[in-house]
Amino acid sequence: NKFGADAIRWYFYVNSAPWLPNRFHDKAVEEGQRKFLGTLWNTYAFYVLYADIDNFDPTKYSLEYDKLSVMDKWLLSKLNTLVKTVDEYLGNYKITETARALQSFTDDMSNWYVRRCRERFWAKGMEQDKINAYMTLYTALITLSKISAPMIPFMTEEIYQNLVRSVDKNAPESIHLTDFPKVNEEFIDKDLEVSMDEVLDIVVLGRAARNSANIKNRQPIGNMYVKAETVLDPFYVEIIEDELNVKAVEFKDDVEELYVYFRVNDTECCMNSMKLPTIRIIRDIIGHLSIDPLCHYAVGESFSIGTIDPIVKLFDVTIDLGILRDNTESSINFNFGLKRVLEVILWKSYT
């Protein structure tokens, strides 16, 4: 009565193999509700909201693969890969692996596809791009519901009745009377999936770099450098730039010749009451970035950004390029609160 039958069933599926002893606790059920059931329902609610506004009828349209965007093709590729994976897992009684695969795809569909494509649903009229977005999301929701039906029968039945039976009275009366979806091999594009997974990994690392430096995403960053074996296509690079609010992303084959450390030019210092507090600010920032100012002081190219405040003229800050001990890399802007923004070139290594 507290969580519902689907949530309890999902907890036992995703937590561990059903035949293993399992200690029940409420928080784990709530986590399953949030990660999978809630995410699936919110994605379904998003589709229903805008489909009702536009009076969209999926029976009047069909998926035209050649006209789909890269994001649409990626979701359909992931979807058909998921169908193949779930069929294989269930055939081998891998219940927990099946549940986790369903949960992972639902997270990608909601937090990546829908979030990246929501402006397409907001567009006026019913252009082809908007139709493609509707049909792609509709296909993903219906297919996902069918392969999830054995595990969460009640929620998937509700989704099926509203999305399918409401527009097609000739469809089977219940989702549990439908056939298991067939894999469309033509929609599977492994190279596309690998490239998009790499984009997701880079975005996650970029956000982590921002969080560690306490730089919010709304503050733009000049450059971001990525160490990778291959260079992504411009389409993927634009996604990274947009997600991380970066003006330019550059891929590097080797960054071992570059590192960053801070050096305060004591000869530039003036006797001023603000000298000590400002030095503390510098030290706090260095400490927050986990940069060891005593590591690898090799000779490298250096440049000065000038005085932090032209009025008090405390001192100059020099940035030297070389190798960081921890190989941590990225490009971040810092505001000292003294009318100057210091752009510090760090690097976020990606392998």
Side-chain angles (χ1 to χ4, degrees):
N1 293 331
K2 182 177 180 180
F3 298 108
D6 281 346
I8 300 298
R9 292 166 64 99
W10 184 256
Y11 162 74
F12 285 107
Y13 289 138
V14 78
N15 195 47
S16 63
W19 49 84
L20 295 178
N22 200 356
R23 179 175 295 179
F24 178 85
H25 54 106
D26 291 359
K27 290 185 178 179
V29 179
E30 292 175 355
E31 183 179 1
Q33 277 186 318
R34 176 179 55 84
K35 285 187 175 181
F36 178 64
L37 299 178
T39 304
L40 175 58
W41 188 261
N42 288 338
T43 307
Y44 156 72
F46 174 87
Y47 171 85
V48 170
L49 174 64
Y50 290 99
D52 287 346
I53 292 174
D54 292 323
N55 295 318
F56 180 76
D57 185 354
T59 61
K60 296 180 180 180
Y61 305 96
S62 61
L63 275 174
E64 300 182 46
Y65 188 80
D66 294 337
K67 297 181 180 180
L68 299 180
S69 68
V70 175
M71 291 297 296
D72 295 337
K73 293 179 179 179
W74 168 77
L75 186 65
L76 293 176
S77 179
K78 293 280 287 186
L79 178 67
N80 283 273
T81 299
L82 176 70
V83 173
K84 181 187 292 187
T85 301
V86 168
D87 189 25
E88 179 183 346
Y89 281 163
L90 291 178
N92 291 281
Y93 300 101
K94 296 182 178 181
I95 309 301
T96 304
E97 290 83 351
T98 299
R100 291 173 180 172
L102 293 170
Q103 184 170 278
S104 177
F105 174 81
T106 305
D107 181 70
D108 288 342
M109 178 177 64
S110 174
N111 296 321
W112 190 244
Y113 177 80
V114 172
R115 189 169 59 80
R116 291 291 310 171
C117 297
R118 55 192 172 189
E119 292 184 359
R120 298 167 66 190
F121 295 92
W122 299 341
K124 295 181 179 180
M126 192 57 68
E127 302 295 332
Q128 185 62 46
D129 184 62
K130 189 174 184 179
I131 294 172
N132 292 342
Y134 270 125
M135 288 303 299
T136 301
L137 185 56
Y138 177 83
T139 303
L141 285 170
I142 298 303
T143 306
L144 179 61
S145 296
K146 288 180 178 180
I147 61 179
S148 303
M151 295 185 168
I152 50 171
F154 301 105
M155 178 181 288
T156 53
E157 180 68 23
E158 176 70 20
I159 294 174
Y160 177 81
Q161 292 296 327
N162 193 27
L163 295 188
V164 178
R165 287 283 294 171
S166 62
V167 296
D168 184 7
K169 299 303 180 182
N170 295 323
E173 293 184 8
S174 170
I175 193 172
H176 305 293
L177 298 177
T178 61
D179 294 332
F180 193 86
K182 295 182 180 179
V183 178
N184 189 337
E185 295 287 351
E186 295 180 356
F187 283 0
I188 297 179
D189 186 340
K190 287 299 182 183
D191 292 336
L192 175 58
E193 292 185 36
V194 170
S195 296
M196 195 64 75
D197 287 342
E198 187 171 351
V199 170
L200 286 165
D201 289 340
I202 294 173
V203 169
V204 169
L205 290 173
R207 288 173 181 166
R210 276 185 171 275
N211 292 335
S212 65
N214 198 25
I215 304 299
K216 295 183 178 180
N217 204 65
R218 65 173 177 265
Q219 182 174 344
I221 293 174
N223 298 290
M224 177 178 177
Y225 298 89
V226 179
K227 179 182 177 182
E229 295 179 356
T230 59
V231 178
L232 293 174
D233 292 338
F235 171 80
Y236 302 109
V237 175
E238 290 178 4
I239 293 178
I240 297 172
E241 292 171 351
D242 182 58
E243 283 291 319
L244 297 177
N245 197 9
V246 177
K247 294 181 179 179
V249 175
E250 184 176 349
F251 288 81
K252 294 284 187 179
D253 294 329
D254 184 16
V255 294
E256 291 189 355
E257 76 279 4
L258 300 171
Y259 74 93
V260 177
Y261 69 85
F262 293 88
R263 183 178 66 221
V264 176
N265 295 338
D266 293 328
T267 56
E268 302 280 343
C269 293
C270 300
M271 298 303 296
N272 190 294
S273 60
M274 291 186 65
K275 173 183 177 181
L276 184 58
T278 308
I279 291 178
R280 286 175 178 170
I281 292 174
I282 300 290
R283 289 177 177 174
D284 287 344
I285 293 176
I286 294 175
H288 185 66
L289 291 173
S290 301
I291 296 176
D292 184 357
L294 301 179
C295 73
H296 298 293
Y297 272 9
V299 177
E301 180 184 359
S302 18
F303 61 93
S304 174
I305 62 167
T307 57
I308 294 180
D309 192 319
I311 299 177
V312 297
K313 293 184 180 179
L314 296 178
F315 44 76
D316 287 353
V317 175
T318 299
I319 301 177
D320 287 8
L321 303 182
I323 302 174
L324 273 179
R325 176 184 300 172
D326 57 0
N327 231 7
T328 304
E329 303 142 31
S330 69
S331 174
I332 301 174
N333 292 328
F334 292 96
N335 191 339
F336 281 90
L338 295 174
K339 305 176 184 178
R340 283 280 185 155
V341 175
L342 169 65
E343 182 176 37
V344 180
I345 304 175
L346 305 173
W347 296 72
K348 188 65 186 178
S349 180
Y350 174 76
T351 56

